[in-house]
Amino acid sequence: MRACIERKREGGDLSPEEWTRIVAGLMDGRVDEAQFAALCMACVWRGMSFDEAFAMTRAMVESGDQLSFDRQEGVVVDKHSSGGVSDIVSLAAVPLAAACGARVAKLSGRALGHTGGTIDKLETIPGLRTALSTEEFAEQVRNTGCAIAAQSATIVPADKRIYALRDRTGTVPALGLISSSIVSKKIAGGAHAFVFDVKTGPAAFMQEPEKAKELGRWLLEIAARFGRRATAFVTDMSEPLGRCIGTGVEVVEAREMLQGNGDPRAVQLVTAIAAALVNECGFDEPEALVMRALSSGSGFEKFREMIAAQGGDVSAFENMQLGESIAVRARSGGYVSSIDVVRLGHAGRRLSTHDPLGGLRVDVRIGDYVETGTPLLHAYGRDRDHAAQFADAFTLSESKPAPVPLIYDVQINSVLYPQSGRAAAL
Ligand code: URA
C-alpha cells in the first residue's frame, strides 16, 4: 500500500488490480484509514486517470450487494444529484416521469454538509418508509412505476466508509473520487439507465461550469463502460433551486408544484429532468408527455400513489402546511447580486432538525430589486427567532447582475447508444 501511495504522490497511475486490492483492503482491515486518506489526498493533488476512476468504481460496486431489474419488463431508470439546496427535483420529477409511463427506481441519500437529502425530506411524511427491502423496492417499481428508497447499508458499503473519510480529510473534491462514488451507487442499484444532475456554482462541489461538464462526461463514460445509458445535466447552484429549504417544507413545495403552483425556475429543471427520465425509458416526445402529466394532475396523483405504497399517510401529506413564520427583511435597497447558498443550506438543515416543518422560504431571486424592508426570506419552525442574521446571506448592489443560466449543459452517452432514448434504439 505504501508503494501505491508513493506512486500516486509522484503522479503515477495505479492498475485496476491495485484499485481492487486497495478498496477490498479498506473493507477487510488490511488497509488502514490513514493510508487510504493519504491516497485520497494524493488523488486530489495529482488527479486520477479515467481508467483508474473506472477501476475504483468497479471495486466499489463489488464491495456489496447489487440489485437487478428484469430488462424484459422495460427499462428502469434512476437519477442522481451531486448535491443541492432546495433541490426538490427528485421529489417532483420521479412521480412526474412515472405518470408518463417511465419506471423509476430511485435510490437516495441523506443530507450531507449544506445539501439536503431526499430521504430526510420524505421521512417527514407520517408513516412513510424509505428502508425498503430489495423485493419491496422492485415490486413497488413494477406496480406503481416508481419508488424512492434509502440506499441500504449493503449497497456499496465501501462508499459509506470512503465518503465519510473524504469528508473528514478534505478530500471530497476530486473528479475521479466523485465519479466513482456516484456511479458505483447507481450501478449497484440495478437500473438500466441514469440521469445525472451535476450542480455548479458557489454551493456545488464543482464550482466552475467547465469542471462540472467534465464531471458529467466522466459519469457518462463510466456508465457507458458498464453498458448503461445515461444523460448528464449541468445545472446552476448559485441560488437555491426552489424556494423552500429544509425537509418537510420542501415536500410541501414539491406537492404544490405538482398541483400546478410551482416556482418557474424550479419547474423548468424538474420538467427537463423528468423528460430525460422518460426519454431514457424510450418514450417519444418526452417533454410533451411531462407537461401533460403536470397540467393534468396525473403527476400529483402518482406522488400520492407512491407515498401510499411506501406506507405514508396521504391525508397527513396533503395537510402538511408551513406554519407561523418570521420575515427577515432587507436592511437597505438594491439588486440581489448574490446569495450565500451554503449558509442558507446549513440554516435550513438546522431549523428542520427538531421540527419537520422548520426551515426557510426564500422570497427573492438573484437579479430582483428590493427596497429597504422587503422580506428576503421567511423562517419557520421552533427556532425561527434566530433567523434575523440571515439577512447577511444576501448581497445587494446598485447594478443589476447578469442573469445566470439554469441549465448549462445536457449530454447523453451516445458512445453506446447513438440514438439514446428513442424507442427504436431499445
Ligand atoms: N455525491 C456523491 O455521491 N459522492 C461524492 O463523492 C460527491 C457527491
Side-chain angles (χ1 to χ4, degrees):
M1 180 64 188
R2 185 184 167 138
C4 289
I5 298 169
E6 287 172 350
R7 188 161 3 114
K8 189 46 69 197
R9 185 191 68 201
E10 299 307 315
D13 284 358
L14 308 189
S15 68
E17 296 70 33
E18 284 169 326
W19 278 110
T20 304
R21 270 204 310 278
I22 289 168
V23 172
L26 178 72
M27 299 309 286
D28 66 18
R30 279 175 300 135
V31 170
D32 70 49
E33 291 202 338
Q35 289 176 306
F36 200 91
L39 181 65
C40 288
M41 189 54 91
C43 290
V44 169
W45 280 99
R46 291 299 197 162
M48 289 163 79
S49 69
F50 178 79
D51 285 341
E52 287 186 287
F54 175 65
M56 185 171 179
T57 310
R58 200 174 45 199
M60 287 168 69
V61 171
E62 285 166 4
S63 72
D65 295 343
Q66 294 177 49
L67 311 186
S68 67
F69 290 93
D70 186 352
R71 180 70 181 71
Q72 301 304 320
E73 293 179 13
V75 172
V76 169
V77 67
D78 190 357
K79 166 207 172 258
H80 186 89
S81 156
S82 66
V85 172
S86 187
D87 188 355
I88 54 170
V89 173
S90 295
L91 292 175
V94 167
L96 209 44
C100 301
R103 298 200 309 150
V104 194
K106 169 86 184 86
L107 284 178
S108 284
R110 295 195 179 272
L112 202 60
H114 62 281
T115 66
T118 300
I119 292 303
D120 303 306
K121 298 173 197 177
L122 274 176
E123 286 180 353
T124 62
I125 300 171
L128 188 139
R129 287 188 318 118
T130 58
L132 305 183
S133 69
T134 307
E135 294 72 31
E136 285 172 325
F137 186 51
E139 191 165 321
Q140 189 179 314
V141 172
R142 197 174 301 119
N143 297 337
T144 309
C146 59
I148 303 182
Q151 195 178 300
S152 82
T154 60
I155 292 187
V156 198
D159 184 62
K160 291 195 176 59
R161 288 282 297 282
I162 296 171
Y163 198 94
L165 196 53
R166 287 167 57 213
D167 199 27
R168 289 204 318 271
T169 56
T171 54
V172 172
L175 188 59
L177 298 177
I178 295 179
S179 29
S180 56
S181 162
I182 291 177
V183 183
S184 61
K185 288 177 285 203
K186 297 295 105 179
I187 297 293
H192 311 112
F194 314 125
V195 174
F196 299 111
D197 181 10
V198 181
K199 304 291 186 189
T200 190
F205 291 122
M206 293 293 174
Q207 300 194 348
E208 301 297 323
E210 283 312 312
K211 290 248 184 265
K213 279 185 205 170
E214 196 181 2
L215 174 57
R217 278 194 295 276
W218 279 47
L219 298 176
L220 294 179
E221 185 75 38
I222 297 176
R225 281 220 198 164
F226 280 98
R228 306 298 216 277
R229 312 151 53 99
T231 304
F233 285 72
V234 173
T235 68
D236 176 60
M237 197 29 69
S238 61
E239 61 185 320
L241 173 65
R243 296 287 185 163
C244 292
I245 306 174
T247 52
V249 295
E250 295 191 34
V251 171
V252 172
E253 182 168 11
R255 184 193 68 206
E256 288 176 353
M257 178 184 289
L258 293 180
Q259 290 172 312
N261 192 19
D263 170 83
R265 193 169 165 92
V267 169
Q268 188 189 339
L269 187 57
V270 164
T271 52
I273 289 193
L277 293 167
V278 172
N279 182 53
E280 286 294 358
C281 289
F283 291 88
D284 284 326
E285 302 193 6
E287 291 84 7
L289 287 176
V290 166
M291 294 320 287
R292 216 170 303 138
L294 184 61
S295 59
S296 68
S298 64
F300 176 59
E301 274 310 308
K302 190 56 82 177
F303 199 12
R304 295 173 78 246
E305 212 183 309
M306 183 185 87
I307 289 166
Q310 293 186 217
D313 179 338
V314 175
S315 67
F317 156 71
E318 288 180 326
N319 288 323
M320 281 168 76
Q321 295 298 346
L322 307 196
E324 283 184 24
S325 65
I326 62 151
V328 174
R329 297 175 188 280
R331 296 181 187 135
S332 60
Y335 288 99
V336 179
S337 58
S338 72
I339 299 177
D340 187 343
V341 183
V342 173
R343 192 153 163 226
L344 296 186
H346 281 299
R349 267 192 83 179
R350 254 196 323 275
L351 286 163
S352 59
T353 304
H354 303 296
D355 186 343
L357 287 166
L360 303 174
R361 186 179 194 288
V362 180
D363 295 303
V364 293
R365 289 234 172 251
I366 291 179
D368 287 353
Y369 185 81
V370 296
E371 311 276 0
T372 305
T374 304
L376 298 168
L377 58 79
H378 283 79
Y380 297 85
R382 262 182 251 163
D383 303 326
R384 62 184 180 275
D385 291 340
H386 304 294
Q389 51 177 314
F390 299 127
D392 298 345
F394 298 81
T395 306
L396 304 178
S397 62
E398 280 179 11
S399 51
K400 190 170 172 138
V404 179
L406 173 61
I407 301 177
Y408 282 87
D409 193 42
V410 186
Q411 305 170 63
I412 293 180
N413 64 355
S414 48
V415 185
L416 272 184
Y417 301 98
Q419 304 167 56
S420 182
R422 296 286 167 238
L426 292 173

